[in-house]
């Protein structure tokens, strides 16, 4: 993942990434947010938000009742409180069941085409409360940066508008860009306003996506993690809505579910100690595996579109693809059945996964039977290739004649095909039985139709190949070896695709003007030019550094010091100015002299210390030290521009200048004396 990088107001870059200003971000916000659309999905989200609020209220009541129960010794009061607790717990259970039914409303997110497809499992977005940052950020700007906070109200309101829009992203590419844009802006917010030793005093409130249980933290990492979760959830909704009866739709669904898996996997690897269950390691592992399984299901559907239906090898491949889908869904079901996860995952999800596992196992045996019964015996030229494929087809070799005889004898092929069909019918019936156990799934007509169609198709085929004179007992068909021709890829988020600029860039370059740096109050110095100039050396850009001061010179007498940064010249803001621009401003002064505004970083009064401080700041991460995201810095490829967590700034030095007769040796190769 690439980082957002710092950009000067004139459009120059510190890194290799071009950034965009207000108009782009504003248009993204307009396109990516649709809070007023009265669609079935938005109504679902409003209902989810309402239930979240009710759950929050009931949990506060329960906490109060539990505290009273523990505190009182009065028997009658204890009885009354116990009764109240049972009432509250009953309400909570009903609310959680209602929320589970909402989260199980998979049909809301499915495509609207007339084609029949097995429904996919999408995730609802995490809900969050509104957040008013106006006062905290204004106070921090006044206290930390020494500027009038009211001057930055526009930037603060723009950030708050972005956050508000992010709460209801549209279910398309623009919605994804909106979430990515907000996530990238959180990097700058972290660097500007969240010092490592102090909190901003703002709580970030988010509701668990499946239980509705509220959580809050002061750490910005919680906000980042929740946005990443919603990014993954939005990908699942986009994947579920694709028309998988067409090849473009299938490719888009595969891409969406792979990106969802990447978002959840990235969240699991880089964020720890999440306060909500949906972002725990166990839940995220389950979600990654679920997304991979849904990718594998799409790959199977893609194979059914691409392969010739009357080809023996193609049908064997379909059978193995179906076995692979069954394999990954079995793993998902095992993950969902683990402690702490099974009580959290909706019953309809667990049932759906189990139904799909049985359904695709049935399909694998069905396609094996079709390959054996509907395809003609191989010619001598085809025999070797079919033998090779069949050797790797079953987990254990079927009982009976040799492989060559089996493939060439139509009767032997029919016997084995019949065994596969028998197993397919048993698995179809098991899938339908499990499906019938879940009230929510029984309401899904499409799923019922798919299961019923597959079952009837296998029964019809079995009746077709079953002969009255069959006196042999149908044997047990071996399991089919799972194999795929397109392994799912877990695609990590690529935030560099959404280019942003720091909304608070007017505060100055992050290398100096960040929450991690502390400096002495800004000073204004009136400087007169002497016979030998001002008597100092300058170095660097944005902001320009006073690298050396001639003892007894004009600059020294005026009170300038080594390590001072020039932030203004005659009232003109120079925090983002280049070396040459500052020099030009200084040279254009007349006999009346020049007013220079400077700041000095605490602990950085000498150039070497300044360099060390700048080096530390230029590679500082945007996460809390307690977060695992910091540990990834050493793993990043040095050829990339770093990640969102590690910001590196190319140092901009002035050209080498040499002067004769310099009375001291402080002028370095990249410094110039004035």
């Amino acid at each position: 993942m690439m980082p957002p990088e710092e950009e000067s107001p004139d459009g120059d870059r510190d890194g290799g990434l071009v950034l965009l200003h207000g108009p782009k971000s504003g248009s993204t916000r307009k396109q990516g947010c649709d809070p007023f659309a009265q669609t079935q999905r938005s109504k679902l989200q409003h209902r989810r938000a309402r239930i979240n609020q009710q759950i929050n209220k009931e949990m506060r009541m329960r906490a109060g009742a539990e505290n009273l129960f523990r505190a009182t010794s009065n028997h009658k009061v204890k009885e009354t409180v116990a009764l109240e607790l049972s009432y509250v717990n009953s309400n909570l259970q009903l609310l959680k069941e209602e929320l589970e039914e909402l989260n199980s409303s998979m049909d809301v997110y499915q495509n609207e085409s007339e084609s029949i497809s097995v429904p996919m499992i999408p995730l609802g977005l995490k809900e969050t409360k509104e957040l008013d940052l106006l006062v905290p950020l204004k106070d921090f700007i006044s206290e930390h940066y020494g500027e009038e906070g009211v001057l930055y109200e526009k930037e603060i309101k723009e950030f708050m508008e972005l956050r508000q829009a992010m709460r209801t992203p549209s279910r398309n590419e623009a919605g994804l860009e909106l979430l990515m844009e907000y996530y990238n802006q959180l990097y700058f917010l972290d660097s500007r306003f969240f010092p490592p030793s102090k909190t901003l005093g703002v709580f970030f409130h988010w509701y668990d996506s499946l239980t509705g249980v509220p959580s809050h933290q002061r750490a910005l990492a919680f906000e980042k993690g929740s946005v990443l979760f919603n990014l993954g959830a939005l990908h699942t909704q986009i994947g579920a809505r694709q028309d998988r009866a067409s090849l473009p739709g299938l490719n888009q669904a595969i891409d969406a579910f792979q990106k969802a898996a990447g978002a959840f996997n990235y969240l699991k690897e880089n964020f720890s100690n999440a306060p909500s269950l949906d972002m725990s390691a166990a839940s995220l592992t389950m979600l990654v595996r679920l997304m991979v399984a849904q990718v594998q299901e799409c790959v199977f559907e893609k194979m059914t579109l691409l392969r010739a239906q009357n080809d023996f090898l193609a049908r064997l491949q379909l059978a193995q693809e179906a076995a692979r889908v069954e394999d990954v869904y079995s793993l998902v079901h095992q993950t969902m059945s683990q402690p702490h996860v099974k009580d959290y995952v909706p019953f309809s999800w667990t049932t759906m996964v189990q139904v799909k596992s049985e359904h695709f196992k049935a399909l694998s045996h069905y396609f094996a039977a079709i390959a054996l019964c509907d395809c003609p015996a191989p010619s001598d030229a085809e025999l070797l290739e079919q033998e090779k494929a069949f050797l790797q087809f079953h987990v254990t070799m079927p009982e009976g004649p040799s492989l060559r005889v089996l493939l060439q004898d139509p009767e032997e092929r029919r016997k084995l095909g019949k065994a596969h069909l028998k197993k397919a019918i048993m698995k179809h019936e098991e899938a339908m039985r499990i499906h019938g156990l879940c009230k929510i799934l029984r309401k899904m007509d499409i799923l019922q139709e798919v299961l019923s169609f597959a079952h009837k198709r296998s029964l019809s085929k079995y009746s077709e190949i079953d002969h009255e004179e069959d006196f042999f007992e149908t044997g047990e068909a071996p399991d089919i070896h799972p194999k795929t021709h397109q392994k799912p890829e877990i695609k990590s988020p690529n935030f560099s695709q959404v280019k942003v600029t720091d909304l608070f860039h007017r505060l100055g370059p992050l290398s100096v003007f960040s929450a991690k740096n502390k400096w002495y109050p800004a000073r204004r110095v009136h400087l007169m030019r002497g016979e030998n100039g001002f008597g100092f050396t300058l170095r660097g850009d944005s902001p320009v550094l006073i690298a050396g001061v001639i003892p007894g010179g004009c600059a020294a007498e005026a009170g300038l010091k080594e390590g001072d940064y020039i932030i203004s010249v005659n009232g003109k803001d120079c925090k983002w100015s280049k070396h040459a621009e500052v020099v030009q401003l200084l040279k254009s002064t007349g006999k009346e002299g020049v007013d220079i505004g400077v700041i000095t970083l605490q602990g950085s009064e000498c150039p070497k210390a300044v360099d060390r401080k700048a080096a530390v700041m230029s590679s500082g991460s945007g996460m809390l030290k307690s977060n695992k995201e910091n540990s990834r810095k050493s793993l990043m490829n040095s050829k990339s521009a770093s990640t969102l967590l590690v910001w590196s700034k190319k140092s901009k030095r002035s050209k080498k200048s040499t002067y004769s007769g310099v009375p001291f040796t402080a002028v370095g190769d990249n410094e110039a004396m004035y």
Side-chain angles (χ1 to χ4, degrees):
M1 187 178 65
M2 307 292 284
E5 299 202 20
E6 194 173 10
E7 182 185 10
S8 61
D10 62 3
D12 286 332
R13 304 177 294 180
D14 284 338
L17 185 63
V18 178
L19 301 178
L20 301 174
H21 290 279
K24 168 63 178 175
S25 59
S27 63
T28 300
R29 244 163 277 165
K30 186 177 179 182
Q31 295 172 5
C33 173
D34 197 6
F36 303 113
Q38 291 303 305
T39 61
Q40 200 174 10
R41 180 180 62 86
S42 65
K43 289 176 184 176
L44 190 72
Q45 236 168 298
H46 288 311
R47 287 176 61 196
R48 183 182 285 112
R50 178 182 56 80
I51 294 172
N52 284 331
Q53 291 169 359
Q54 290 178 307
I55 289 174
N56 196 14
K57 179 182 175 183
E58 294 290 341
M59 289 191 69
R60 286 200 303 268
M61 291 176 61
R62 185 172 72 176
E66 287 173 343
N67 289 337
L68 180 57
F69 187 85
R70 286 192 294 266
T72 186
S73 57
N74 187 304
H75 183 66
K76 288 186 177 179
V77 173
K78 274 187 177 289
E79 283 186 351
T80 305
V81 173
L83 185 63
E84 182 67 22
L85 268 173
S86 67
Y87 176 73
V88 170
N89 285 329
S90 177
N91 279 352
L92 268 174
Q93 185 60 34
L94 289 172
L95 286 168
K96 288 181 179 180
E97 287 176 5
E98 189 178 349
L99 189 65
E100 178 185 340
E101 187 165 353
L102 280 183
N103 287 323
S104 302
S105 300
M106 292 172 265
D107 54 320
V108 176
Y109 301 105
Q110 307 304 318
N111 71 80
E112 298 176 354
S113 70
E114 295 181 358
S115 60
I116 297 174
S117 300
V118 180
M120 293 294 187
I121 298 178
L123 275 76
L125 302 183
K126 288 171 70 73
E127 303 289 343
T128 181
K129 286 186 176 181
E130 287 189 27
L131 188 63
D132 189 355
L133 290 168
L134 189 61
V135 173
L137 293 188
K138 281 168 62 177
D139 289 348
F140 190 87
I141 289 170
S142 299
E143 176 191 336
H144 186 80
Y145 292 99
E147 297 193 41
E148 289 292 332
V150 69
L151 298 176
Y152 289 87
E153 280 190 0
K154 180 183 176 183
E155 287 90 339
I156 297 171
K157 288 179 179 177
E158 190 174 349
F159 179 84
M160 288 166 58
E161 287 172 6
L162 176 60
R163 188 182 191 274
Q164 184 68 12
M166 172 276 307
R167 295 175 66 193
T168 53
S170 54
R171 188 161 43 124
N172 51 28
E173 195 66 32
L176 295 171
E177 287 183 5
L178 176 62
L179 288 173
M180 289 180 175
E181 179 187 354
Y182 180 68
Y183 186 92
N184 283 353
Q185 283 294 348
L186 287 177
Y187 161 77
F188 292 115
L189 191 78
D190 193 8
S191 300
R192 296 287 191 190
F193 300 104
F194 285 81
S197 58
K198 180 183 175 183
T199 64
L200 195 61
V202 175
F203 280 97
F204 298 99
H205 293 260
W206 288 84
Y207 294 94
D208 191 286
S209 65
L210 294 177
T211 65
V213 175
S215 301
H216 64 269
Q217 276 193 351
R218 286 192 180 98
L220 195 65
F222 183 42
E223 179 90 345
K224 287 183 176 181
S226 299
V227 175
L228 273 177
F229 185 95
N230 275 0
L231 184 72
L234 194 56
H235 275 301
T236 70
Q237 295 178 14
I238 291 172
R241 74 177 301 188
Q242 301 304 320
D243 179 9
R244 305 200 314 277
S246 67
L247 197 56
L250 275 170
N251 286 331
Q252 288 170 2
I254 288 171
D255 184 61
F257 288 127
Q258 288 182 150
K259 287 178 177 176
F264 295 134
N265 191 60
Y266 184 86
L267 189 55
K268 183 185 73 170
E269 289 181 349
N270 297 290
F271 290 79
S272 59
N273 303 318
S276 59
L277 276 172
D278 54 3
M279 294 199 295
S280 67
S283 295
L284 292 170
T285 298
M286 179 272 294
L287 289 174
V288 170
R289 290 176 177 174
L290 175 61
M291 294 307 117
V292 168
Q294 296 193 143
V295 171
Q296 201 69 68
E297 183 177 349
C298 292
V299 170
F300 167 79
E301 293 173 336
K302 186 176 177 180
M303 289 283 292
T304 61
L305 286 180
L306 295 176
R307 298 299 184 195
Q309 294 300 306
N310 59 349
D311 180 69
F312 177 77
L313 294 178
R315 286 174 173 173
L316 291 188
Q317 288 176 348
L318 277 177
Q320 290 188 295
E321 286 285 354
R324 176 60 182 164
V325 178
E326 181 268 330
D327 200 39
V328 291
Y329 271 120
S330 293
L331 178 61
V332 175
H333 185 256
Q334 290 173 21
T335 312
M336 287 182 171
S337 303
Q338 290 176 350
H340 306 301
V341 179
K342 65 180 179 181
D343 299 328
Y344 165 77
V345 176
F347 177 65
S348 59
W349 285 22
T350 311
T351 309
M352 171 74 93
V353 165
Q354 199 174 2
V355 165
K356 286 193 174 188
S357 179
E358 299 294 337
H359 173 67
F360 281 99
K361 187 156 192 176
L363 288 184
S364 70
H365 286 286
Y366 170 78
F367 282 110
I370 293 297
L372 289 163
C373 298
D374 285 8
C375 296
S379 64
D380 292 339
E382 298 170 330
L383 183 59
L384 186 61
E385 188 179 6
Q386 290 194 11
E387 276 185 321
K388 184 179 178 182
F390 216 69
L391 275 170
Q392 301 172 353
F393 184 69
H394 290 106
V395 175
T396 57
M397 287 301 295
E399 297 178 1
S402 66
L403 188 57
R404 184 174 290 263
V405 172
L406 171 63
L407 290 173
Q408 290 183 317
D409 186 343
E411 184 61 21
E412 291 296 335
R413 289 167 71 107
R414 186 178 70 86
K415 285 182 182 179
L416 183 57
K418 192 175 179 181
H420 276 296
L421 274 176
K422 181 181 177 183
K423 202 162 190 176
I425 292 167
M426 289 171 58
K427 289 299 174 183
H428 282 309
E429 290 171 352
E430 180 65 8
M432 295 172 74
R433 183 190 71 80
I434 296 168
H435 171 266
L437 297 176
C438 181
K439 179 180 69 174
I440 293 171
L441 292 190
R442 287 201 301 269
K443 296 177 182 178
M444 299 182 69
D445 296 336
I446 295 177
L447 181 59
Q448 179 73 47
E449 194 172 344
V450 169
L451 295 177
S452 179
F453 170 79
H455 181 234
K456 288 177 181 176
R457 185 176 61 177
S458 293
L459 281 174
S460 175
K461 192 65 187 175
Y462 189 86
S463 299
E464 181 185 321
I465 67 169
D466 186 32
H467 296 167
E468 289 184 7
E469 61 271 17
D470 282 347
F471 296 107
F472 62 84
E473 184 177 344
T474 305
E476 180 78 10
D479 282 336
I480 294 160
H481 182 70
K483 185 179 179 182
T484 182
H485 291 75
Q486 184 178 337
K487 189 177 179 182
E489 179 186 352
I490 296 177
K491 294 184 176 180
S492 294
N494 181 10
F495 290 95
S496 65
Q497 291 179 346
V498 178
K499 300 169 176 58
V500 300
T501 188
D502 179 9
L503 288 174
F504 298 94
H505 68 266
R506 284 200 296 130
L507 288 170
L510 269 174
S511 57
V512 175
F513 301 94
S514 74
K516 299 174 182 66
N517 271 352
K518 293 182 180 179
W519 47 82
Y520 298 107
R523 314 191 313 277
R524 296 203 178 275
V525 176
H526 186 73
L527 189 61
M528 302 292 293
R529 188 196 303 270
E531 293 181 2
N532 296 320
F534 291 112
F536 54 56
T537 59
L538 300 181
R539 182 174 67 199
D541 297 321
S542 307
V544 173
L545 173 72
I546 297 177
V549 177
I550 300 175
C554 299
E557 290 180 1
L560 291 178
K561 301 174 184 178
E562 295 180 20
D564 283 346
Y565 284 103
I566 297 177
I567 60 172
S568 68
V569 176
N570 281 336
K572 177 178 171 57
D573 191 302
C574 294
K575 291 194 286 286
W576 280 102
S577 297
K578 299 290 186 288
H579 186 105
E581 293 169 351
V582 173
V583 170
Q584 186 60 39
L585 286 172
L586 292 172
K587 286 183 175 179
S588 63
T589 59
K591 295 180 180 180
E592 68 277 7
V594 59
D595 287 321
I596 301 177
V598 294
I599 60 164
T600 306
L601 291 179
Q602 291 186 17
S604 301
E605 286 78 6
C606 66
K608 290 184 179 178
V610 173
D611 289 346
R612 285 197 301 271
K613 187 71 175 180
V616 170
M617 290 308 302
S618 67
S619 61
S621 82
M623 290 296 298
L624 298 174
K625 289 181 180 178
S626 61
N627 199 288
K628 285 186 181 178
E629 215 166 338
N630 283 329
S631 65
R632 291 177 61 84
K633 291 189 289 185
S634 61
L635 303 177
M636 295 296 107
N637 189 327
S638 61
K639 291 183 180 179
S640 70
S642 170
T643 67
L644 188 61
L645 321 173
V646 187
W647 174 70
S648 60
K649 176 181 176 183
K650 296 179 181 177
S651 60
K652 296 183 178 179
R653 306 293 192 182
S654 59
K655 294 182 179 180
K656 179 178 177 181
S657 302
T658 58
Y659 294 84
S660 59
V662 177
F664 67 116
T665 58
V667 180
D669 287 344
N670 53 2
E671 301 167 4
M673 190 176 77
Y674 300 97

